[in-house]
Amino acid sequence: MAEILRRLTNASSFSVLQDKLENWHRDYHVFSCDQNVNRCCELIELTAKIQGQLFNILNITAAEGGHYGGVDTLKTRFLPWLGSCFPISRPSVADDTSLHRFQDAAEKERKMKELALSHESEIRKMEAQLNSTSLQLESVTAELEEAQKKLDDTKCKSATTLLATEDEILQLKAELVRSRSPSPLPLLSRSASPLRSTSPTRAQLTNSSRHARLVSRFSDLYTMERLDAQSLLRRYIPDLEMVQRIIFIAVMESFQKAKLAYRQFKQQVRKTLSASHFGPESLEDAAVDYIVRNLDLYDVLCSVSNVIIAMNKNPQISFPPEVDFRLICPLIRETCRVAFAMQTLDTPLDLVYGSSGELFNNTKYRRSFDSDFSAPLVAYYVWPALMDGSTVVVKGEAVTKRGALWSRNRSRSASPARSRSLSPTRSVRFSDKGSLSPGHLSTRHL
């Protein structure tokens, strides 16, 4: 009997039973009904196994006391308990097997707890690493923001210094010209001719810097806005030649409309300043200087609309009916602004108009990569050349092919209705010269 009691004690059966009861109590509201019933049945089976062991010990103990050993206790405690109809279930397995099962269950519970603790420890370590990484990321982000603020401050200071330096240069140049004036103002006041000071205006003093900036911006139009417009047009027009023709005509039309808008705007400024202008600069110089200072007054949207109207009437280009030329408004708008500003220079910059089928001019243009370099005729132009008087400032780009004039005439006769123009038979007529300068290009050519 003592051996059986020792094994029951070492199995820690009641400890296992208590742990299972506590776990069930903790998770009772989380489990479903089936899970709770299953847990209850498991506890009943475990209790029955323990009771079976105790009944076996009771039997052996009573047998050791003799024929009447423990009779009084059985009568006063055990028989009344049996009278309450509590079922006595004898274990279906041997005592040794039941004890081994209890031990295995206890060992499994212990291992599960160790795994759970290890898992929780790893989770805490990962959370600590994550928090550390987050703190490092926040620190790097703060450093980047601080560096960006310093960079912005440096840019603002540089811009302010540049403006201040430019104003100082202008002031020094003006004082230098005034100091070189050949005669005093009182003597000139008696002259019959109107007074005109030799002091240059702001537009004249900044002419060279504006010239360089506008030439650079025109080159940017070719490398940036032109490529963006070409990418947009290729989504709707598979023909690359037609896309490049559209862009070329858009640039030419933008220059023409911007030049017309400049003449009209300058006339309005002259009319406004004429009533109150007394010098020392001429009325013409004062008008140009006012335009240079107020380029933002240029109504570029009006010019863009006029360009689109002219392109819709042009018989050389076509566009799918579901979209229109407003798709390339960014290119047209920026070209109009650059062209308008170029008219304020001492020698306005302009474009050279070229037509298909004429001889290729190596001085003004370069061939595109897909050209026939041995062909003397221009099939079509990709980008116009920028001129400062008779000097080429920026070369244009042209596509040369053999039989360009014949293929051009054939394509026109084969598809006369490619344009949106109200009169498809309309053609663009030019003089017999090789090319027209933009100064001789009138609105009837557009």
Side-chain angles (χ1 to χ4, degrees):
M1 186 279 297
E3 180 64 23
I4 298 175
L5 182 60
R6 183 185 62 78
R7 290 200 300 267
L8 181 62
T9 303
N10 293 334
S12 302
S13 302
F14 289 98
S15 299
V16 175
L17 179 62
Q18 181 65 26
D19 292 339
K20 289 184 176 294
L21 282 172
E22 291 177 357
N23 293 336
W24 185 27
H25 178 266
R26 184 179 64 251
D27 300 329
Y28 180 83
H29 296 287
V30 179
F31 288 160
S32 63
C33 179
D34 293 338
Q35 289 175 329
N36 286 324
V37 171
N38 187 33
R39 186 60 59 88
C40 184
C41 292
E42 181 181 356
L43 292 175
I44 292 174
E45 292 175 359
L46 182 58
T47 304
K49 292 177 181 179
I50 296 174
Q51 287 179 348
Q53 297 294 326
L54 292 175
F55 275 117
N56 189 19
I57 294 174
L58 177 63
N59 186 24
I60 296 174
T61 302
E64 289 177 352
H67 187 68
Y68 297 101
V71 173
D72 295 334
T73 305
L74 292 175
K75 289 181 179 180
T76 57
R77 296 194 62 179
F78 186 70
L79 292 178
W81 178 67
L82 289 178
S84 63
C85 300
F86 187 82
I88 300 177
S89 60
R90 185 152 185 94
S92 59
V93 294
D95 297 337
D96 294 340
T97 304
S98 179
L99 291 175
H100 285 302
R101 288 186 177 180
F102 284 137
Q103 291 176 353
D104 293 341
E107 184 67 20
K108 289 181 179 178
E109 287 288 337
R110 184 182 62 81
K111 290 183 179 179
M112 289 295 294
K113 289 182 179 180
E114 291 179 355
L115 290 175
L117 292 175
S118 176
H119 182 65
E120 291 178 358
S121 177
E122 292 179 357
I123 291 178
R124 283 194 295 269
K125 289 181 180 179
M126 294 179 65
E127 289 178 351
Q129 293 178 357
L130 180 60
N131 293 332
S132 177
T133 305
S134 300
L135 292 176
Q136 293 178 359
L137 180 60
E138 291 177 358
S139 176
V140 173
T141 304
E143 292 178 358
L144 289 176
E145 292 178 354
E146 185 67 22
Q148 184 65 36
K149 290 181 181 179
K150 291 181 180 180
L151 180 60
D152 294 339
D153 293 340
T154 304
K155 288 182 179 179
C156 293
K157 291 179 181 179
S158 301
T160 304
T161 305
L162 181 61
L163 292 175
T165 304
E166 185 178 355
D167 292 338
E168 292 176 0
I169 293 174
L170 295 176
Q171 184 178 0
L172 290 174
K173 286 185 178 180
E175 292 177 356
L176 179 63
V177 173
R178 285 195 295 268
S179 64
R180 294 179 179 179
S181 180
S183 59
L185 183 60
L187 295 177
L188 288 175
S189 61
R190 299 180 181 179
S191 176
S193 61
L195 293 176
R196 180 173 181 178
S197 174
T198 57
S199 300
T201 62
R202 182 183 181 89
Q204 294 171 343
L205 291 174
T206 60
N207 182 75
S208 59
S209 61
R210 289 186 295 111
H211 182 282
R213 185 166 60 250
L214 290 172
V215 170
S216 176
R217 184 69 185 98
F218 182 78
S219 299
D220 292 340
L221 290 177
Y222 173 80
T223 58
M224 298 173 62
E225 280 81 359
R226 180 188 71 90
L227 295 179
D228 293 341
Q230 181 171 304
S231 298
L232 287 174
L233 292 175
R234 288 301 300 273
R235 298 178 184 177
Y236 305 97
I237 304 176
D239 186 6
L240 178 60
E241 176 180 344
M242 180 56 63
V243 169
Q244 293 177 337
R245 285 180 181 271
I246 291 174
I247 293 176
F248 176 78
I249 292 177
V251 173
M252 297 301 301
E253 291 287 354
S254 298
F255 259 78
Q256 296 304 317
K257 297 302 182 286
K259 288 164 57 180
L260 179 61
Y262 176 79
R263 289 194 295 267
Q264 295 173 352
F265 186 64
K266 183 178 179 181
Q267 184 178 1
Q268 294 176 359
V269 173
R270 286 172 56 89
K271 183 178 180 180
T272 303
L273 296 179
S274 60
S276 59
H277 179 71
F278 296 101
E281 71 275 2
S282 65
L283 180 60
E284 180 75 13
D285 293 340
V288 174
D289 189 64
Y290 176 84
I291 296 175
V292 170
R293 294 173 182 268
N294 300 276
L295 288 175
D296 55 333
L297 297 180
Y298 168 44
D299 188 5
V300 66
L301 297 181
C302 181
S303 296
V304 171
S305 299
N306 293 334
V307 170
I308 293 176
I309 292 174
M311 293 179 67
N312 284 328
K313 296 179 181 179
N314 196 307
Q316 299 181 9
I317 54 179
S318 63
F319 212 60
E322 63 272 10
V323 289
D324 56 23
F325 290 114
R326 296 186 185 277
L327 188 67
I328 57 174
C329 270
L331 171 66
I332 298 174
R333 181 177 61 251
E334 295 304 316
T335 304
C336 287
R337 286 176 176 170
V338 172
F340 186 88
M342 285 180 175
Q343 307 311 306
T344 63
L345 299 175
D346 289 346
T347 303
L349 300 178
D350 211 340
L351 302 181
V352 177
Y353 190 88
S355 60
S356 303
E358 62 186 9
L359 288 175
F360 175 75
N361 190 334
N362 191 43
T363 304
K364 298 179 180 179
Y365 299 96
R366 62 175 178 273
R367 287 181 169 90
S368 63
F369 70 95
D370 55 345
S371 297
D372 184 354
F373 284 79
S374 62
L377 299 181
V378 176
Y380 62 92
Y381 288 94
V382 177
W383 193 254
L386 184 66
M387 304 290 293
D388 186 355
S390 59
T391 304
V392 178
V393 180
V394 179
K395 275 189 174 185
E397 183 176 340
V399 177
T400 57
K401 294 180 181 178
R402 290 193 175 276
L405 182 60
W406 176 82
S407 61
R408 173 170 167 260
N409 293 333
R410 182 181 179 184
S411 63
R412 282 191 176 184
S413 61
S415 58
R418 287 172 62 89
S419 172
R420 292 185 178 186
S421 174
L422 298 178
S423 56
T425 57
R426 174 190 172 195
S427 61
V428 181
R429 296 184 177 90
F430 301 104
S431 62
D432 294 337
K433 297 180 179 180
S435 64
L436 286 177
S437 64
H440 296 120
L441 185 62
S442 61
T443 55
R444 64 185 178 85
H445 294 141
L446 303 179

